């Protein structure tokens, strides 16, 4: 019997979701942060999508968001010309890093001591988070606004992408090592530490390069314009989403399309695998995040596999769970999100 993919829908945002990131696996599970044009990045339990909290303080669209490895700190990049660092446990704002233009991307070093930022002013900045009053180191060389910037090679190098160029930088010398030029706009970039693989999307192409040398490994063509792609931690599959509202799953070795799903009601802006590879998350123009099973039918998180004789053949039907929330907290959340066209309260549903 064929099993149907049943995604979990995470509501709460009121504008398009443009970026998302998972933490590493911690003693408390793993976590998911989402960046949205509503200016209110949200933190969720990664395996269930249950809402934990909203980081309040930005005065413009939030374009980038990330968590450090152990999910104790969060960082956000916004259109209010700032990047902010947050205590991801308490939700408190730790520092505001002023920029001269819109900030698009943020990334922590592995030890969480430094933050890399990039944005419309074409400069990469490295902030020492133990000395927030100190001026950041700056790296120039990009000729258009920076879309993504990531630490790589154990923080010894930096990868960054602007409109049609991906550049590799040496952290110690702050100089460019190599660059890749594309004939169309680069829409996303993901770095896989295990194997030093760089995933780049542009047009309908999903390309894989060595993160050390930028040499090409392989590339796939999708049926539609792709905005984001993610490689499974075990490098068995990749998922991609874009302008046709669909998510595509491919065999990484052969390039064969294994599955495609339509669940969002707008273009997909971002997609990422969880650190354990059991699910992948997608964020869309429709204002929602959705969680999808890598192996449909497996009991995991809110999905429970029910044998046919037990429940009329329904498999992997999500059981709905919510975080413990008081009535007062629910009323406060509802008032904060009263202008939402999707949901008055962050929730997870089938």
């Amino acid at each position: 019997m064929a099993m149907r993919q049943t995604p979990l829908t995470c509501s709460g945002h009121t504008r398009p979701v443009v970026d998302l990131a998972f933490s590493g696996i911690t003693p408390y599970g793993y976590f998911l942060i989402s960046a949205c044009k509503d200016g209110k990045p949200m933190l969720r339990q990664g395996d269930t999508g249950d809402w934990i909290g909203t980081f309040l303080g930005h005065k413009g669209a939030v374009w980038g968001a990330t968590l450090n490895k152990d999910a104790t700190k969060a960082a956000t990049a916004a259109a209010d010309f700032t990047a902010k660092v947050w205590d991801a446990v308490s939700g408190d704002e730790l520092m505001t890093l002023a920029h001269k233009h819109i900030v698009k991307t943020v990334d922590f070093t592995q030890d969480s001591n430094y933050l890399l930022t990039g944005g419309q002013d074409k400069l990469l900045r490295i902030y020492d988070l133990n000395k927030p009053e100190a001026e950041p180191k700056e790296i120039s060389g990009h000729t258009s606004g920076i879309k993504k910037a990531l630490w790589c090679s154990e923080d010894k190098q930096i990868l960054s992408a602007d409109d049609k160029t991906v550049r590799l930088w040496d952290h110690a010398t702050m100089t460019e090592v190599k660059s890749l030029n594309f004939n169309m706009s680069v829409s996303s970039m993901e770095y896989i530490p295990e194997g030093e693989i760089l995933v780049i999307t542009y047009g309908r192409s999903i390309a894989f390069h060595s993160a050390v040398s930028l040499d090409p490994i392989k590339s796939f063509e999708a049926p539609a314009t792709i905005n984001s792609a993610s490689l499974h931690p075990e490098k068995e599959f990749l998922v991609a989403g874009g302008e046709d509202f669909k998510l595509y799953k491919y065999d990484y070795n052969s390039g064969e399309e294994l599955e495609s799903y339509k669940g969002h009601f707008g273009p997909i802006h971002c997609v990422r695998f969880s650190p354990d590879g059991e699910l992948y998350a997608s964020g869309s123009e429709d204002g929602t995040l959705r969680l999808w099973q890598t192996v449909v039918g497996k009991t995991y998180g809110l999905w429970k596999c029910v044998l046919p004789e037990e429940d009329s053949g329904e498999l992997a039907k999500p059981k709905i769970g919510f975080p413990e929330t008081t009535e007062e907290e629910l009323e406060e959340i509802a008032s904060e999100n009263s202008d939402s066209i999707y949901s008055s309260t962050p929730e997870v549903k089938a």
Side-chain angles (χ1 to χ4, degrees), residues 20-23 30-32 46 190 192 199 228-240 248-250 252 270-282 291-295:
L20 55 85
F22 285 100
S23 72
Y30 60 88
F31 300 88
L32 172 64
E190 180 189 45
I192 311 296
V199 187
S228 182
S230 185
L231 181 61
H232 188 271
E234 300 297 324
K235 303 173 190 63
E236 299 172 356
F237 317 108
L238 65 122
V239 290
Y248 294 92
K249 182 179 174 185
Y250 294 92
Y252 175 64
C270 45
V271 58
R272 285 291 178 269
F273 270 107
S274 62
D276 62 2
E278 293 287 351
L279 62 81
Y280 47 99
S282 56
L291 305 183
W292 310 76
Q293 279 190 293
T294 303
V295 179

Side-chain angles (χ1 to χ4, degrees), residues 33 41 43 52-58 66-68 71-76 83-96 108 129 332:
I33 191 171
L43 183 68
I52 295 172
T54 301
F55 298 103
L56 300 175
H58 279 296
T66 192
L67 293 165
N68 66 347
T72 56
K73 289 180 181 178
T76 50
K84 290 182 184 286
V85 179
W86 312 80
D87 183 319
V89 180
S90 67
D92 295 334
E93 182 182 315
L94 298 178
M95 62 187 77
T96 295
F108 288 107
L129 299 183
E332 184 180 341

Side-chain angles (χ1 to χ4, degrees), residues 97-98 100 125-128 131-138:
L97 306 170
K100 296 175 182 177
R125 290 183 173 83
I126 300 169
Y127 290 87
D128 184 340
K131 301 174 184 176
E133 71 287 346
E135 287 295 312
K137 295 178 182 176
E138 294 184 352

Side-chain angles (χ1 to χ4, degrees), residues 15 28 43 117 268 314 333:
R15 297 287 308 282
Y28 307 99
L43 183 68
T117 71
I268 294 164
E314 289 192 72
I333 295 165

Side-chain angles (χ1 to χ4, degrees), residues 91-269:
D92 295 334
E93 182 182 315
L94 298 178
M95 62 187 77
T96 295
L97 306 170
H99 289 64
K100 296 175 182 177
H101 212 311
I102 294 167
V103 191
K104 284 291 189 77
T105 179
V106 281
D107 195 36
F108 288 107
T109 50
Q110 291 184 33
D111 60 12
S112 307
N113 287 330
Y114 295 89
L115 186 73
L116 173 66
T117 71
Q120 290 297 94
D121 63 1
K122 309 172 190 175
L123 292 174
L124 293 167
R125 290 183 173 83
I126 300 169
Y127 290 87
D128 184 340
L129 299 183
N130 296 314
K131 301 174 184 176
E133 71 287 346
E135 287 295 312
K137 295 178 182 176
E138 294 184 352
I139 302 175
S140 60
H142 277 284
T143 56
S144 60
I146 296 167
K147 295 181 175 181
K148 197 74 173 177
L150 301 167
W151 294 102
C152 66
S153 302
E154 298 181 336
D155 304 329
K156 294 173 184 172
Q157 294 183 309
I158 294 167
L159 290 159
S160 57
D162 61 22
D163 187 36
K164 294 181 180 179
T165 309
V166 171
R167 299 176 193 270
L168 178 66
W169 309 84
D170 181 78
H171 182 199
T173 63
M174 311 277 280
T175 56
E176 183 179 313
V177 177
K178 194 173 180 180
S179 65
L180 290 172
N181 294 305
F182 298 89
N183 58 7
M184 56 186 72
S185 182
V186 174
S187 51
S188 76
M189 188 170 71
E190 180 189 45
Y191 167 64
I192 311 296
E194 299 78 17
E196 296 288 337
I197 297 172
L198 179 62
V199 187
I200 303 168
T201 61
Y202 57 97
R204 296 187 176 194
S205 298
I206 307 160
F208 300 86
H209 291 256
S210 163
V212 177
S213 64
L214 296 188
D215 291 340
I217 299 170
K218 63 174 71 177
S219 65
F220 304 138
E221 288 292 314
T225 299
I226 295 297
N227 293 328
S228 182
S230 185
L231 181 61
H232 188 271
E234 300 297 324
K235 303 173 190 63
E236 299 172 356
F237 317 108
L238 65 122
V239 290
E243 293 298 310
D244 65 350
F245 306 7
K246 280 187 176 182
L247 276 163
Y248 294 92
K249 182 179 174 185
Y250 294 92
D251 182 294
Y252 175 64
N253 295 309
S254 68
E256 177 189 358
E257 182 185 317
L258 302 174
E259 300 158 357
S260 66
Y261 303 111
K262 188 172 180 180
H264 283 290
F265 297 99
I268 294 164
H269 294 307

Side-chain angles (χ1 to χ4, degrees), residues 276-315:
D276 62 2
E278 293 287 351
L279 62 81
Y280 47 99
S282 56
S284 167
E285 184 77 15
D286 67 14
T288 67
L289 285 113
R290 291 175 194 258
L291 305 183
W292 310 76
Q293 279 190 293
T294 303
V295 179
V296 179
K298 188 174 183 178
T299 294
Y300 181 83
L302 297 183
W303 291 282
K304 181 183 177 183
C305 182
V306 182
L307 296 176
E309 60 268 22
E310 292 180 17
D311 191 28
S312 306
E314 289 192 72
L315 293 171

